[in-house]
Amino acid sequence: MEVLNVLIIIGLIHCSLFFFDTIFKTCSHYPYLYFLKNTGLEVQILRIKWFTTAFNRKIIKWGMDRSKFWTVWFNAGVIVSVIILPIATIAILRMTFNIWTNGPSIDNTNESLLEPMLPGIDVPFNEIGYYIITLAVCSIMHELGHALAAAREDVQLFGLGILIAFTIPIAYVHISSEQLSSLPLKNQLRVTCAGIWHNVVLATVAATILMLSTWLWAPFYAVGNGIYVKTILPNSPVLGPTGLLEQDVIYEINDCSIKHAEDWYDCILNTINQPALGYCVKQSFIQEYDESIPSKQKTNGVINCCTPDSEAIGNLCFEYIEGPQAAPLHLPPHSCLPARTMINQSQNFCHASYQCIFHDTHCLRPSLDNITKIVQIKRKEGKDVLFFGYPADIYRTIDVSDWVPKYSFLNPKLPEVLTLLCKYITIFSAGLAVINIVPCFFLDGQYIINILILYLLNFTPHNKNIRQTIILMITSIGTLLLTINLLYVLMNKLL
């Protein structure tokens, strides 16, 4: 299903929910109003909100238990956040400077930093589920940090909620702002920095799991020694009695070694772009199996030296790679040979005869057009698979995985899902931590810079209005810089 169709369906669902919500409220259906009140649901146009107090006691209990640990924990969050603050600010300044000086030719640094703030942009549609789950997890961890810190500082917690804006889940926490502002500045910092700190910790944990994933799954999966064939589409050209099978392990294509899924793509691309390979063949084999007839040139420039009957049983016309004039006098310039038998007994691949190091061997290549190639797929078990055609058809119809199960009952889906999820969480959680700490209106950075300025200027007899002016100026500049960069990245992605 196309992305646009899915978005239209989601939009229609939102509109339907809003329509029926309006009707039921207008008619004052008591059961419906009672349902909304007790579940904490609220339906708005293209938005669904859910607010609950069910977790308040548990969060307060967690925040009050082990008070020394939480004090050290959130103090560490303050230190890390204060360190990240100037780094993030300098990064935003540098990106803005690059935009003004270099224009469209700037590097991708700002895009990788700001992409988490642009939900759905440049994300493969088949991975949109990971994106939504990641946003929910990162948002919940962020708000849980604020809630635990507020409970630790004895700030009243009203409840937690989740807002689904179209398809994007956003968690939020409601605490008493009056009680928070009455705390000492150091205690306020613990609460305001807690969300960023939890995002940093979450990104660190996910990155650690990602780096150790190969070691963690080592008892069950092998990585780096070939790729695992997960699925083969019914229209795949490599299906057949001697073709590829699901659960095969591929380790080489022609002369290209395959250890990871990236190598699979690179090897097929290399097969498409490079000239056809030759094969080092013994002279005695050519003399024994040659069934050539006087060669003819087809309209596409391909030389044909085989009869239709010999072609039907798998013979191909091969030519000497240096050209017919280089063929030995006792051998024909073109030979009709059984392709599989010849390739299986060939000494090695070659681009010229001097690469055939054994005595009485010659370098022959198939006479094919520029699109058609011979692809020899080597697998751990079973005969090599020979494919004659356009190599891209193989890539389009086969799904492979880096994770090769050590036991037949295992499937690579589980490590793939967890690895990809850890990758998303690492990128998004770290990105959200950096973005949130920028001094910008409505972000944590606004309150953090406010507290820091008040804390620093409390030691000097400055006027309160001067402090507020400095805070407003820094926050406004941060908001302007962040907005410029976000709009720039958005335009680069959409245009």
Side-chain angles (χ1 to χ4, degrees):
M1 188 179 294
E2 296 182 358
V3 178
L4 181 59
N5 292 338
V6 174
L7 295 178
I8 291 174
I9 291 173
I10 294 173
L12 290 175
I13 292 173
H14 273 285
C15 292
S16 300
L17 290 174
F18 181 73
F19 173 75
F20 287 111
D21 177 76
T22 305
I23 291 178
F24 291 149
K25 285 180 179 178
T26 303
C27 299
S28 299
H29 289 283
Y30 178 76
Y32 179 71
L33 297 176
Y34 180 80
F35 168 78
L36 292 180
K37 181 179 179 181
N38 281 273
T39 58
L41 286 174
E42 182 181 350
V43 179
Q44 301 173 342
I45 184 66
L46 298 180
R47 297 197 307 172
I48 300 174
K49 291 177 67 176
W50 176 65
F51 184 80
T52 181
T53 59
F55 304 104
N56 287 13
R57 286 189 178 182
K58 183 64 69 175
I59 292 174
I60 293 171
K61 185 177 183 299
W62 287 347
M64 299 306 295
D65 289 346
R66 294 189 173 92
S67 59
K68 290 184 179 179
F69 167 78
W70 288 120
T71 300
V72 174
W73 176 260
F74 290 119
N75 281 340
V78 171
I79 295 171
V80 170
S81 299
V82 171
I83 293 173
I84 296 176
L85 176 59
I87 297 174
T89 305
I90 292 172
I92 293 293
L93 284 170
R94 178 178 174 273
M95 292 186 301
T96 308
F97 178 76
N98 285 337
I99 291 174
W100 286 112
T101 55
N102 301 331
S105 62
I106 68 168
D107 56 25
N108 293 328
T109 305
N110 61 333
E111 295 188 8
S112 61
L113 179 65
L114 298 178
E115 271 183 1
M117 297 297 290
L118 302 172
I121 298 300
D122 206 28
V123 175
F125 184 68
N126 61 337
E127 296 179 6
I128 197 69
Y130 294 94
Y131 194 103
I132 294 173
I133 292 172
T134 299
L135 283 180
V137 170
C138 294
S139 184
I140 289 171
M141 283 297 296
H142 183 98
E143 298 304 328
L144 182 60
H146 288 308
L148 285 171
R152 174 66 190 88
E153 301 299 334
D154 204 20
V155 175
Q156 184 178 1
L157 173 64
F158 295 113
L160 303 170
I162 293 180
L163 167 67
I164 300 178
F166 199 58
T167 60
I168 308 304
I170 304 170
Y172 63 96
V173 61
H174 187 195
I175 61 176
S176 174
S177 56
E178 292 81 7
Q179 292 184 12
L180 177 62
S181 59
S182 65
L183 293 174
L185 295 179
K186 185 177 180 180
N187 299 57
Q188 290 184 44
L189 266 181
R190 291 175 185 164
V191 178
T192 53
C193 294
I196 294 168
W197 169 234
H198 274 218
N199 277 139
V200 171
V201 172
L202 179 62
T204 304
V205 172
T208 303
I209 295 175
L210 187 62
M211 289 187 294
L212 298 178
S213 58
T214 303
W215 178 78
L216 293 173
W217 290 104
F220 309 102
Y221 297 90
V223 178
N225 294 316
I227 56 173
Y228 180 83
V229 178
K230 292 195 299 183
T231 56
I232 304 177
L233 296 181
N235 63 337
S236 177
V238 296
L239 283 176
T242 59
L244 271 181
L245 300 172
E246 293 183 0
Q247 301 182 1
D248 274 340
V249 179
I250 300 171
Y251 66 92
E252 193 171 277
I253 290 182
N254 290 344
D255 60 343
C256 185
S257 178
I258 296 177
K259 295 183 178 180
H260 301 282
E262 293 82 2
D263 300 332
W264 167 254
Y265 171 79
D266 293 337
C267 288
I268 290 182
L269 186 63
N270 182 65
T271 304
I272 295 173
N273 295 331
Q274 297 298 323
L277 287 171
Y279 302 89
C280 291
V281 186
K282 289 184 178 180
Q283 178 176 309
S284 58
F285 177 86
I286 301 173
Q287 293 173 331
E288 180 180 355
Y289 287 93
D290 182 26
E291 298 181 4
S292 61
I293 60 174
S295 58
K296 297 180 181 179
Q297 187 170 3
K298 297 181 180 180
T299 55
N300 57 1
V302 176
I303 301 297
N304 181 29
C305 62
C306 295
T307 64
D309 291 338
S310 59
E311 286 182 341
I313 61 174
N315 283 21
L316 277 179
C317 185
F318 290 84
E319 61 182 349
Y320 290 92
I321 208 158
E322 287 88 357
Q325 68 279 2
L329 295 176
H330 51 276
L331 291 176
H334 296 90
S335 301
C336 180
L337 302 170
R340 175 175 286 277
T341 306
M342 193 206 78
I343 292 172
N344 287 339
Q345 67 83 47
S346 65
Q347 307 291 336
N348 56 278
F349 297 103
C350 58
H351 292 281
S353 288
Y354 69 85
Q355 294 176 336
C356 300
I357 58 178
F358 295 96
H359 180 64
D360 284 338
T361 57
H362 305 279
C363 187
L364 275 70
R365 68 181 175 191
S367 180
L368 301 170
D369 56 50
N370 293 330
I371 296 177
T372 305
K373 300 289 175 67
I374 294 181
V375 181
Q376 183 180 5
I377 303 175
K378 296 185 178 181
R379 48 187 174 178
K380 293 284 180 72
E381 297 181 4
K383 294 181 179 180
D384 296 347
V385 176
L386 290 183
F387 167 73
F388 301 85
Y390 187 48
D393 293 336
I394 303 175
Y395 183 80
R396 284 195 292 261
T397 57
I398 297 178
D399 188 18
V400 299
S401 172
D402 281 323
W403 302 90
V404 180
K406 293 185 177 180
Y407 307 99
S408 58
F409 63 87
L410 293 176
N411 189 285
K413 191 66 176 178
L414 180 59
E416 281 183 339
V417 168
L418 293 179
T419 302
L420 186 57
L421 190 60
C422 284
K423 178 182 176 182
Y424 268 95
I425 289 175
T426 301
I427 296 173
F428 283 55
S429 191
L432 288 173
V434 172
I435 296 300
N436 260 293
I437 206 167
V438 174
C440 177
F441 292 113
F442 309 115
L443 297 180
D444 290 341
Q446 174 188 2
Y447 306 103
I448 293 173
I449 199 69
N450 187 3
I451 296 169
L452 288 175
I453 294 296
L454 291 176
Y455 184 79
L456 294 173
L457 296 185
N458 268 347
F459 296 101
T460 57
H462 285 79
N463 187 280
K464 180 180 178 181
N465 291 333
I466 296 178
R467 293 200 300 266
Q468 294 298 329
T469 302
I470 294 174
I471 293 169
L472 180 62
M473 182 177 63
I474 293 175
T475 308
S476 300
I477 293 173
T479 304
L480 178 62
L481 295 177
L482 186 59
T483 302
I484 290 173
N485 282 272
L486 286 173
L487 290 175
Y488 180 79
V489 174
L490 183 63
M491 288 188 293
N492 271 0
K493 294 294 183 182
L494 297 179
L495 299 181

